[in-house]
């Protein structure tokens, strides 16, 4: 009989297993040399989604080589998940793949530094994520298996609302609403109405007096008819982060502007 190990997969991770083999406990033939990380990924779970792993009740690394007969427990990544930050940085920087454009715009609305390109291939995404120390968000499991990637996360949900909720619940980032351009991710600065009135339609000039402008692309912003919906997104996001973030762990999210 070939040597085996038993791998117990937490319920939260079963979504990554093929539907025909979506059982919480799997018997895996063991060759005696493969690492635990390799075995877990061979079942379908990307390593960035695998949290604490234990063997015989002891915490082990993904590089651990189990022995025949061992039982391995694989838990999900703890939430909120910490991300290494550079000095002066208050929230993670993010990079989203080509399928998450709407999520990118909502994250920028919340003031999260969010890079997004609708034409970048997988190798280029990994390069940018690593060079700029951005968390790569994707629904491409193969992309998360790239060994060169320094930090990645799978985005759960098919609707932007659910995707944003998952992101906020996972990382509980400090929010700075209304500070970034939703089009290009540049920083917004307040601008005098007289400086940009030539760019405004007559109805807008009559109705609004407070404007912001992107320092990078020049896009002008004001609280238009869609403002109530955007404020609702900001309020909901702030509540989620405040509920998830442990007390005393960094700056609180900024209040919603009136």
């Amino acid at each position: 009989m070939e040597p085996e190990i038993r791998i117990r997969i937490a319920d939260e991770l079963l979504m990554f297993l093929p539907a025909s083999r979506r059982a919480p406990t799997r018997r895996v033939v063991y060759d005696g040399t493969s690492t635990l990380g390799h075995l877990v990924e061979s079942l379908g779970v990307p390593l960035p989604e695998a949290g604490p792993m234990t063997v015989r009740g002891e915490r082990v690394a993904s590089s651990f080589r189990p022995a025949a007969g061992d039982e391995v427990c694989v838990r999900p990544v703890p939430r909120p998940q910490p991300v290494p930050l550079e000095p002066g940085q208050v929230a993670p920087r993010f990079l989203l793949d080509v399928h998450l454009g709407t999520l990118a715009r909502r994250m920028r609305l919340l003031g999260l530094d969010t890079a997004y390109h609708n034409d970048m291939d997988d190798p280029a995404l990994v390069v940018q994520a690593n060079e700029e120390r951005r968390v790569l968000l994707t629904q491409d499991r193969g992309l998360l298996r790239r060994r060169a990637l320094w930090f990645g996360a799978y985005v759960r949900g098919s609707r932007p609302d659910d995707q944003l909720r998952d992101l906020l619940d996972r990382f509980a980032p400090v929010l700075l609403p209304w500070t970034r351009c939703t089009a290009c991710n540049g920083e917004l600065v307040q601008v005098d109405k007289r400086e940009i009135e030539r760019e405004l339609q007559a109805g807008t000039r009559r109705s609004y007096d407070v404007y912001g402008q992107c320092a990078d692309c020049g896009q002008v912003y004001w609280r238009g008819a869609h403002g109530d919906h955007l404020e609702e997104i900001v309020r909901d996001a702030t509540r989620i982060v405040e509920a998830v973030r442990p007390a005393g762990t960094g700056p609180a999210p900024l209040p919603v502007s009136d």
Side-chain angles (χ1 to χ4, degrees):
M1 182 178 178
E2 293 184 286
E4 294 182 338
I5 64 171
R6 288 163 54 91
I7 301 182
R8 298 176 61 86
I9 304 293
D11 290 346
E12 296 91 331
L13 299 176
L14 292 179
M15 58 177 287
F16 295 109
L17 275 60
S20 60
R21 299 195 295 273
R22 200 165 289 171
T25 302
R26 295 293 311 278
R27 293 182 179 273
V28 179
V29 175
Y30 185 51
D31 59 12
T33 61
S34 295
T35 65
L36 183 52
H38 174 79
L39 295 171
V40 169
E41 283 206 322
S42 70
L43 295 179
V45 180
L47 273 187
E49 295 303 305
M53 292 183 275
T54 57
V55 177
R56 299 182 294 275
E58 297 292 330
R59 180 82 173 262
V60 296
S62 60
S63 58
F64 178 79
R65 288 179 170 81
D70 278 347
E71 180 169 289
V72 179
C73 293
V74 183
R75 297 180 176 85
V77 172
R79 296 189 176 209
Q81 182 180 11
V83 178
L85 302 179
E86 298 174 357
Q89 187 180 347
V90 298
R93 291 188 287 262
F94 297 94
L95 171 63
L96 277 61
D97 76 9
V98 298
H99 303 293
L100 298 174
T102 300
L103 176 60
R105 290 189 291 275
R106 295 195 179 192
M107 292 172 64
R108 291 169 178 172
L109 170 68
L110 300 175
L112 297 172
D113 187 341
T114 306
Y116 169 77
H117 315 276
N118 61 10
D119 58 354
M120 185 173 282
D121 60 18
D122 289 359
L125 286 168
V126 173
V127 169
Q128 182 177 359
N130 293 349
E131 288 182 348
E132 300 178 8
R133 305 299 279 179
R134 293 180 180 273
V135 178
L136 179 56
L137 302 181
T138 182
Q139 293 186 325
D140 183 342
R141 304 176 192 187
L143 183 53
L144 290 179
R145 293 194 182 101
R146 289 180 174 260
R147 291 287 181 263
L149 180 61
W150 86 285
F151 204 122
Y154 185 88
V155 178
R156 291 158 172 79
S158 57
R159 299 170 59 248
D161 288 347
D162 298 331
Q163 294 168 354
L164 181 60
R165 189 176 300 110
D166 178 64
L167 175 280
L168 298 173
D169 179 73
R170 179 159 182 168
F171 294 106
V174 173
L175 305 181
L176 304 172
W178 317 107
T179 62
R180 286 195 175 271
C181 174
T182 57
C184 81
N185 195 47
E187 294 186 3
L188 298 184
V189 295
Q190 189 165 347
V191 62
D192 190 283
K193 181 178 181 179
R194 290 170 295 182
E195 297 178 28
I196 45 88
E197 60 183 352
R198 291 183 179 180
E199 303 176 35
L200 306 175
Q201 295 183 357
T204 302
R205 286 197 302 270
R206 289 194 302 270
S207 303
Y208 304 98
D209 294 315
V210 179
Y211 297 87
Q213 187 170 31
C214 177
D216 290 345
C217 73
Q219 176 73 39
V220 176
Y221 290 86
W222 63 92
R223 298 291 176 89
H226 59 298
D228 290 345
H229 174 62
L230 298 181
E231 288 190 4
E232 182 179 1
I233 292 175
V234 172
R235 284 195 297 268
D236 289 346
T238 303
R239 283 195 292 266
I240 292 171
V241 170
E242 288 178 341
V244 173
R245 181 186 296 280
T249 56
L254 293 182
V256 177
S257 300
D258 294 329

